[in-house]
Amino acid sequence: MPSRVAGPRSVRTSAAVLNKSSPQTLNSRASTTARASGPYVDIPEDTPENELRTQISSVFRDAQRMTASHRKLVINLRKIQEACCYELTSSKKNKTGAEDFDEEQFTYEVTRCVLRVMPVKKSESVGERSIRFLGLFLRHANEKDNDLAEGNADETGVMVETPSTRLTSHLMSKVLPLLTSKEKFVRYRSTQLISHIINSLDSIDDDLFQILRHGLLKRIRDKEAMVRVQAVLGLGRLAGNEAEGGADDSDDDDSGAGLLDKLLEVLQNDPSADVRRTLLVNLPILPNTLPFLLERARDQDSATRRALYSRLLPALGDFRHLSLSMREKLLRWGLRDRDENVRKAAGKLFRERWIEDCAGTAEQEESAEGEVAYPDPKAPSFEGLVELLERIDVVNSGVENGVALEAMKGFWEGRPDYREAVSFDDNFWDTLTAEAVFMARSFNDFCRTEGNGKFEALLEEKMPEVTKLAFYLDRYISVLISALERIALQEVTEDEEEEDTVEQEFIVEQLLHMARTLDYSDEVGRRKMFALLRQSLSVPDLPEEVTKLAIEVLRGICAQDAAGESEFTSVVLEAVADVHDTIMDEPAPEEGDGDESFHSARSEVSGDVTPTRSSKSKKSEMSEDEDQEKAVRVIMVNMKCLHIVQCMLENVEGNLQQNPSLVAMLNNLVVPAVRSHEAPVRERGLLCLGLCSLLDKSLAEENLTLFMHFFSKGHSALQITALQILTDILNQHGAHLLDANPTLLKVYLKALKSGTKAPEVQAAATIAVAKLMLGRVIENGSPAIDDLLKTLVVLYFDPSTAHNQGVRQTLSYFLPVYSFSRSENQDRMRKVAMDALHKLFEVQENLDDDADAESEMVTIGTIGAHLVDWTDPRKCYVPGNQMSLAEEGKKAVNGDVHLEFARDILERLDSSASKEEKKSLAPLLGKLHVSSASTESNIRTLYSEASAAIGDKLIADATGRNALFKIHVSLGKIVNSLAEK
């Protein structure tokens, strides 16, 4: 019989040899009441009782009770097997009483007991114990037989036949037909037995190996998930064996490669989370399977995602073998998972497993030459931590909203040994790298935000004071500016440019992040930092993110009162003037006017200055290239100055008119920028004008038309900016602007209906309207609210927004929260419900010819059920009410909103609406809540209308009539009780 040879983690057969290290534990809670037989299992015809049957049955009976006795029972059953299959030479006192029986009878009795396990239900644990016992016995018996037959082994690779191999083959021949049984528990137990034997034995016969694989392959499509779980549990081992061993029949679809492809397809598409999770932990980790395994980090099932982080990735080996993008994705997906257990598993992986990989390497590199020293993996290694940060590309992942901050927050929280051992000495600050400075910044953030001040003492001990940090910041800003100047002079290549500036910029950003959190009560340190930041803002080539952070630090240094804000704005605007003059003087220093004022800068920015004779003569001498260079310089001036102003305005709260510096800035820089012919300058100027409008109500009123013009004429990004500005103005200055400008409502309605052309604009408009309505900026008295609310309800169910997840996600939160927050909002939802349902019914009718689109739209009945739920008075929030929803449901509440809803439905049913629409609306009557605490007049009015509807046979279909009868009976009971009172 030919043999198969395979590598580690494989089933090698001279037969197929099954690696003992493969997973053997079945997580199913299976098993059995000891049923004698089942109608779906062909039990061999019983022979007369005998001593052998009594002994074997006793062993299996005891094996069902507990797993602790399995080893002892395996030895006992092995003695019985040896007595039946071998000639014993031992003394008479060691005889078992089975010497009078042969191997065939032993095999018959064991098979008889095994078949009785097959019909046992999954929920009964005795079946699980019996199968585990059988697997343990077959492994032990094969090992003993191999020891006895060791002298007869040959070198041909053919497995020696033994009583245990014959027993295994006979058992499998009896169990294999049960894989196709009609009874699901028989299929489950037979598949479980085969998979357990595959995972238990070292070797099985080669022909039997092929038959088992073929049988299990059919079960991966079983309709029962519990059967598929057991099938993939066995096939995972076989796939690893054949993929590594290289089966000869590799062109066959059932070959190792074909089997692996099928299992990977199951891993991706099986609807059962248990099946996917079983494959995740049992498939071999190979280059071609690893991407599919790591995909499960985005699995729908939280337990599967947790298994990836807690079982697969720790067993993967050194994480540095993964690509950089995959490391970042795994960390981001895990730490931002919606399930807390997945987040904990991902954090633990980062702070315990990944740091060990880096720490071990760092210590080995530093060890003395000669014998390699293996360090304690738990001991703090800051060289390893720096390498770990490098391995997750901290320069890119360490920015705001990057995953590195979250990872390090969990690291400092979960590793107190590193927290206590970390040291930031002078040498550390003198030789900063991107990874080292990020480690310091994350430690600073953790100590200041976590533990309710518990770690403040650590900061005092380990972090530098304000003056020293300002000194280091000055040094690294100088290094950054020098690098930027070299680039401007084109002294370095592009590769050197990228390498030289990105890291230096990141270092300065992290130092500024730390500076934002410092206490500036020390006047010496405050003055040093203030002067440094003022000087830095005047550097024209300073990167935008560094500029933004520097302005935020500067605002924190200045006092928080009006005088401090005035000082802050004047200092920043001085820097704006310096930036402008520096750049504009660069092209022609010999002829330029060095004393040019800020007003001249304003003139250049506006683009409307009238050239002098001198400038005309110079312009005539300029070549076309020089003209182009000057135009670029002018745009650079505008963009840089406007960016500084934008960052400043984001940190200002006072009144615009009371700050002369801001008024001058508005007239001299922002307004000319909005009028500029250069699109980038104009758009940034618009943003600054919007920020100014938040500081002055009259300015906002004057420029509403301008913002609406930008929305109607601009591209998608500009439309979103205009919408955000308009929404912020309404939030800041009140909804009367909306009432005074009816055109503004049309802007929002147009944006909400722009889904096909600009889905991102529609999503931004949805968020904007939701904020305005939740913040009660647009209140129930506003004429705009009905149209906006109806449009939002229609958008939520309209199939055209099915792929616009921004709209759907916003509305899935907004609609119920808005409705349940106030009874007035529920009444408003009730008023628009009928019109929204009618609109959606028309949408559904237009989709009749398009089956794919129609399948994405829920039925009108389901939409109506949502509206009924949103207007349920029992779910409405009542201020000061501490009762739970269940307690509130038992208490009678005023249900006028649902009574009015019922009247609206009856009115629509009595209208000229189509028969199909009426058929969809009528069942909603039965879902409405009728409360005895409602207004008496409303109850009596609705009761009379319902009675009239029944008398007039208003509803034709039986379902609708039953709903009408239901609400009529409920109303009748209340009316009768009112009459009795």
Side-chain angles (χ1 to χ4, degrees):
M1 190 177 299
S3 67
R4 293 179 177 271
V5 180
R9 282 185 68 112
S10 63
V11 181
R12 294 197 316 250
T13 54
S14 45
V17 177
L18 302 173
N19 191 334
K20 293 181 182 179
S21 65
S22 290
Q24 301 174 31
T25 303
L26 304 180
N27 291 329
S28 59
R29 299 181 52 170
S31 273
T32 124
T33 57
R35 292 161 56 181
S37 65
Y40 300 97
V41 180
D42 184 16
I43 302 296
E45 184 178 350
D46 275 353
T47 57
E49 291 289 334
N50 54 60
E51 178 65 21
L52 181 62
R53 174 175 299 175
T54 301
Q55 293 186 26
I56 292 178
S57 298
S58 175
V59 170
F60 273 89
R61 181 178 64 250
D62 293 341
Q64 292 179 91
R65 293 174 181 166
M66 64 181 69
T67 56
S69 60
H70 278 189
R71 291 191 177 277
K72 179 180 178 181
L73 293 172
V74 161
I75 295 172
N76 292 342
L77 188 58
R78 173 60 184 175
K79 289 179 180 179
I80 297 172
Q81 184 189 29
E82 289 179 349
C84 294
C85 303
Y86 293 96
E87 293 184 4
L88 300 178
T89 59
S90 59
S91 62
K92 191 172 184 179
K93 64 180 180 180
N94 292 329
K95 292 188 177 180
T96 63
E99 293 80 3
D100 299 332
F101 300 92
D102 57 17
E103 178 182 340
E104 183 179 347
Q105 290 170 302
F106 175 82
T107 301
Y108 174 86
E109 295 299 338
V110 171
T111 305
R112 176 178 171 277
C113 292
V114 169
L115 290 178
R116 276 163 170 73
V117 179
M118 295 299 102
V120 175
K121 291 183 179 179
K122 181 177 184 287
S123 59
E124 296 170 353
S125 59
V126 289
E128 171 81 12
R129 295 191 197 112
S130 299
I131 289 176
R132 292 183 65 182
F133 167 74
L134 183 65
L136 192 62
F137 167 72
L138 289 176
R139 180 196 301 172
H140 177 74
N142 272 280
E143 290 173 354
K144 292 296 183 181
D145 285 342
N146 290 336
D147 291 341
L148 292 173
E150 189 174 349
N152 299 325
D154 55 23
E155 301 296 330
T156 61
V158 178
M159 187 175 70
V160 177
E161 194 174 76
T162 64
S164 297
T165 59
R166 290 192 290 269
L167 173 62
T168 304
S169 298
H170 184 268
L171 277 174
M172 294 298 97
S173 66
K174 293 296 183 183
V175 172
L176 273 169
L178 302 180
L179 291 174
T180 56
S181 170
K182 293 181 179 179
E183 168 58 35
K184 62 181 180 181
F185 292 116
V186 174
R187 297 198 307 276
Y188 167 70
R189 289 299 178 191
S190 56
T191 310
Q192 182 187 26
L193 177 63
I194 291 172
S195 296
H196 192 66
I197 288 176
I198 287 175
N199 283 284
S200 298
L201 296 184
D202 289 333
S203 61
I204 55 176
D205 180 80
D206 193 38
D207 292 335
L208 179 60
F209 172 87
Q210 301 294 343
I211 296 171
L212 294 180
R213 183 182 65 176
H214 184 69
L216 289 177
L217 266 173
K218 291 183 177 180
R219 291 303 98 210
I220 64 174
R221 305 296 181 193
D222 196 281
K223 64 181 180 180
E224 298 294 335
M226 60 182 179
V227 178
R228 300 198 301 274
V229 166
Q230 298 303 324
V232 300
L233 194 61
L235 288 172
R237 293 278 323 277
L238 305 184
N241 168 68
E242 297 194 354
E244 292 187 4
D248 297 333
D249 52 347
S250 58
D251 295 332
D252 186 3
D253 192 41
D254 286 347
S255 68
L259 175 58
L260 202 54
D261 290 340
K262 287 183 178 181
L263 292 179
L264 292 174
E265 181 188 356
V266 172
L267 177 67
Q268 288 183 300
N269 302 312
D270 197 286
S272 170
D274 290 335
V275 176
R276 300 194 302 271
R277 186 162 57 254
T278 302
L279 271 175
L280 177 69
V281 298
N282 285 284
L283 272 178
I285 300 174
L286 303 170
N288 58 330
T289 62
L290 188 57
F292 295 93
L293 295 173
L294 298 180
E295 256 182 15
R296 292 304 95 203
R298 306 298 283 168
D299 196 278
Q300 292 180 348
D301 177 61
S302 59
T304 303
R305 300 195 300 272
R306 185 171 68 252
L308 176 80
Y309 287 99
S310 61
R311 297 180 63 181
L312 178 73
L313 289 175
L316 187 60
D318 197 325
F319 80 99
R320 291 170 290 187
H321 294 149
L322 297 173
S323 67
L324 177 60
S325 63
M326 182 53 70
R327 286 178 226 148
E328 192 272 336
K329 284 179 182 178
L330 287 172
L331 204 56
R332 173 161 44 88
W333 292 340
L335 293 176
R336 295 179 179 175
D337 196 277
R338 59 181 176 270
D339 186 84
E340 183 182 2
N341 292 322
V342 179
R343 295 197 297 271
K344 288 181 178 178
K348 186 176 181 181
L349 176 76
F350 177 80
R351 68 175 178 263
E352 294 184 6
R353 187 66 183 84
W354 286 11
I355 186 63
E356 285 180 15
D357 291 339
C358 296
T361 305
E363 293 291 340
Q364 288 178 37
E365 288 176 354
E366 291 188 356
S367 63
E369 293 184 3
E371 185 179 351
V372 176
Y374 290 94
D376 178 7
K378 298 296 182 182
S381 169
F382 292 98
E383 293 81 5
L385 180 55
V386 168
E387 184 188 349
L388 176 59
L389 292 173
E390 182 183 356
R391 296 291 182 176
I392 62 172
D393 189 20
V394 75
V395 173
N396 292 313
S397 64
V399 297
E400 292 305 300
N401 298 321
V403 72
L405 276 173
E406 299 164 51
M408 287 305 294
K409 176 185 174 183
F411 181 88
W412 294 118
E413 184 176 10
R415 294 303 297 264
D417 52 339
Y418 276 82
R419 205 165 58 220
E420 298 295 334
V422 69
S423 174
F424 304 115
D425 53 18
D426 291 342
N427 182 61
F428 174 87
W429 296 105
D430 290 337
T431 57
L432 281 181
T433 62
E435 293 76 25
V437 73
F438 185 79
M439 178 174 69
R441 180 262 174 108
S442 63
F443 179 78
N444 178 73
D445 287 355
F446 170 79
C447 291
R448 292 191 185 276
T449 58
E450 301 298 318
N452 295 322
K454 184 172 65 175
F455 304 115
E456 290 288 344
L458 280 176
L459 283 178
E460 295 292 333
E461 175 189 347
K462 299 178 182 295
M463 298 298 290
E465 63 274 10
V466 176
T467 307
K468 186 173 285 189
L469 186 67
F471 171 76
Y472 293 129
L473 182 59
D474 187 12
R475 174 191 299 179
Y476 287 103
I477 287 178
S478 300
V479 173
L480 173 62
I481 293 172
S482 299
L484 293 171
E485 287 176 351
R486 289 199 303 274
I487 293 169
L489 297 174
Q490 298 181 348
E491 294 179 356
V492 293
T493 63
E494 288 187 6
D495 292 340
E496 291 174 342
E497 165 192 335
E498 184 75 17
E499 186 177 338
D500 197 23
T501 59
V502 172
E503 184 173 4
Q504 292 301 326
E505 182 179 341
F506 183 79
I507 291 172
V508 173
E509 288 174 11
Q510 302 311 303
L511 290 172
L512 286 170
H513 276 296
M514 284 186 274
R516 282 198 307 179
T517 65
L518 296 179
D519 179 10
Y520 290 98
S521 56
D522 174 23
E523 186 62 24
V524 176
R526 177 188 176 279
R527 289 181 179 179
K528 171 68 177 174
M529 187 69 76
F530 186 89
L532 169 63
L533 295 176
R534 167 63 184 85
Q535 179 184 356
S536 301
L537 285 176
S538 301
V539 177
D541 293 328
L542 199 67
E544 288 195 351
E545 184 63 23
V546 175
T547 302
K548 176 176 178 290
L549 290 170
I551 291 175
E552 290 178 2
V553 176
L554 192 60
R555 182 66 191 96
I557 293 175
C558 297
Q560 298 303 309
D561 54 13
E565 187 171 279
S566 179
E567 178 191 19
F568 166 68
T569 53
S570 61
V571 167
V572 173
L573 291 177
E574 287 175 10
V576 171
D578 291 346
V579 168
H580 173 271
D581 292 340
T582 303
I583 296 180
M584 294 305 294
D585 289 346
E586 282 178 3
E590 309 88 5
E591 302 178 72
D593 185 0
D595 298 327
E596 199 171 19
S597 69
F598 183 72
H599 286 278
S600 69
R602 183 253 324 215
S603 300
E604 292 290 347
V605 170
S606 68
D608 296 332
V609 65
T610 302
T612 62
R613 290 181 182 179
S614 172
S615 64
K616 283 182 180 178
S617 62
K618 285 188 285 183
K619 185 174 181 180
S620 62
E621 295 173 1
M622 286 182 181
S623 65
E624 187 175 335
D625 291 342
E626 290 173 333
D627 288 341
Q628 189 173 5
E629 288 178 9
K630 182 177 180 181
V632 171
R633 287 197 302 273
V634 170
I635 295 176
M636 288 172 58
V637 171
N638 281 286
M639 296 299 288
K640 180 64 181 178
C641 292
L642 288 170
H643 178 260
I644 297 175
V645 167
Q646 176 189 337
C647 296
M648 176 194 70
L649 290 171
E650 289 172 353
N651 291 276
V652 172
E653 297 177 355
N655 188 285
L656 180 72
Q657 299 297 336
Q658 296 176 0
N659 192 325
S661 299
L662 292 181
V663 175
M665 175 272 302
L666 173 67
N667 295 326
N668 297 336
L669 184 64
V670 176
V671 174
V674 174
R675 296 173 180 169
S676 172
H677 297 293
E678 300 295 337
V681 176
R682 186 167 61 247
E683 291 173 14
R684 186 163 284 184
L686 177 72
L687 195 56
C688 292
L689 183 60
L691 291 168
C692 290
S693 298
L694 297 180
L695 303 176
D696 186 71
K697 186 176 180 179
S698 60
L699 183 66
E701 292 173 344
E702 291 171 6
N703 289 286
L704 272 181
T705 306
L706 175 65
F707 297 134
M708 289 189 282
H709 173 77
F710 272 98
F711 174 82
S712 59
K713 301 297 183 182
H715 50 80
S716 295
L718 190 57
Q719 285 182 324
I720 293 174
T721 301
L723 270 177
Q724 291 170 341
I725 291 172
L726 290 170
T727 305
D728 289 343
I729 288 174
L730 291 175
N731 273 315
Q732 181 71 17
H733 301 302
H736 72 278
L737 295 176
L738 190 63
D739 299 334
N741 296 272
T743 314
L744 189 53
L745 171 62
K746 295 179 181 178
V747 168
Y748 282 102
L749 289 174
K750 180 182 177 182
L752 288 173
K753 296 174 182 177
S754 63
T756 54
K757 295 181 180 178
E760 63 278 6
V761 175
Q762 186 183 44
T766 304
I767 294 173
V769 174
K771 286 181 177 180
L772 292 174
M773 294 180 72
L774 279 178
R776 299 178 64 193
V777 176
I778 305 178
E779 294 187 300
N780 286 339
S782 172
I785 191 168
D786 287 347
D787 289 337
L788 290 173
L789 184 57
K790 186 185 80 172
T791 304
L792 292 178
V793 172
V794 172
L795 280 179
Y796 185 51
F797 296 104
D798 194 322
S800 65
T801 63
H803 300 293
N804 194 337
Q805 294 302 314
V807 171
R808 287 288 176 96
Q809 189 172 12
T810 301
L811 292 178
S812 65
Y813 172 81
F814 164 75
L815 290 171
V817 169
Y818 175 77
S819 301
F820 298 149
S821 59
R822 296 172 62 85
S823 58
E824 293 88 345
N825 294 349
Q826 284 193 323
D827 192 56
R828 180 65 57 186
M829 182 66 73
R830 187 269 309 167
K831 289 179 180 178
V832 305
M834 286 297 103
D835 291 339
L837 283 170
H838 178 68
K839 178 67 176 176
L840 288 165
F841 183 78
E842 291 179 345
V843 171
Q844 191 178 57
E845 280 190 325
N846 295 332
L847 295 175
D848 284 343
D849 297 333
D850 191 347
D852 292 336
E854 188 176 13
S855 64
E856 297 176 357
M857 184 175 182
V858 295
T859 63
I860 297 297
T862 303
I863 297 171
H866 276 80
L867 291 167
V868 168
D869 182 66
W870 293 336
T871 54
D872 190 337
R874 294 168 295 181
K875 295 185 177 181
C876 185
Y877 169 72
V878 179
N881 187 3
Q882 301 297 325
M883 287 190 296
S884 66
L885 188 60
E887 293 171 340
E888 183 70 22
K890 295 176 183 178
K891 179 186 175 184
V893 295
N894 189 313
D896 284 350
V897 63
H898 266 188
L899 298 184
E900 294 292 341
F901 203 156
R903 294 182 65 187
D904 293 342
I905 294 173
L906 289 173
E907 182 182 350
R908 181 56 61 89
L909 292 174
D910 198 25
S911 68
S912 58
S914 66
K915 182 180 178 181
E916 289 299 320
E917 184 177 357
K918 291 180 180 180
K919 186 177 180 180
S920 301
L921 292 177
L924 299 181
L925 291 169
K927 298 178 181 179
L928 296 171
H929 173 66
V930 179
S931 171
S932 59
S934 304
T935 308
E936 182 178 344
S937 60
N938 286 341
I939 294 174
R940 293 186 182 277
T941 302
L942 180 57
Y943 180 66
S944 62
E945 291 181 5
S947 301
I950 293 174
D952 296 341
K953 297 183 178 179
L954 189 62
I955 303 175
D957 64 294
T959 305
R961 283 199 307 272
N962 291 338
L964 180 59
F965 292 153
K966 179 181 178 181
I967 194 173
H968 183 262
V969 170
S970 300
L971 288 166
K973 291 179 180 179
I974 298 174
V975 170
N976 291 337
S977 65
L978 291 174
E980 291 174 1
K981 291 180 182 179

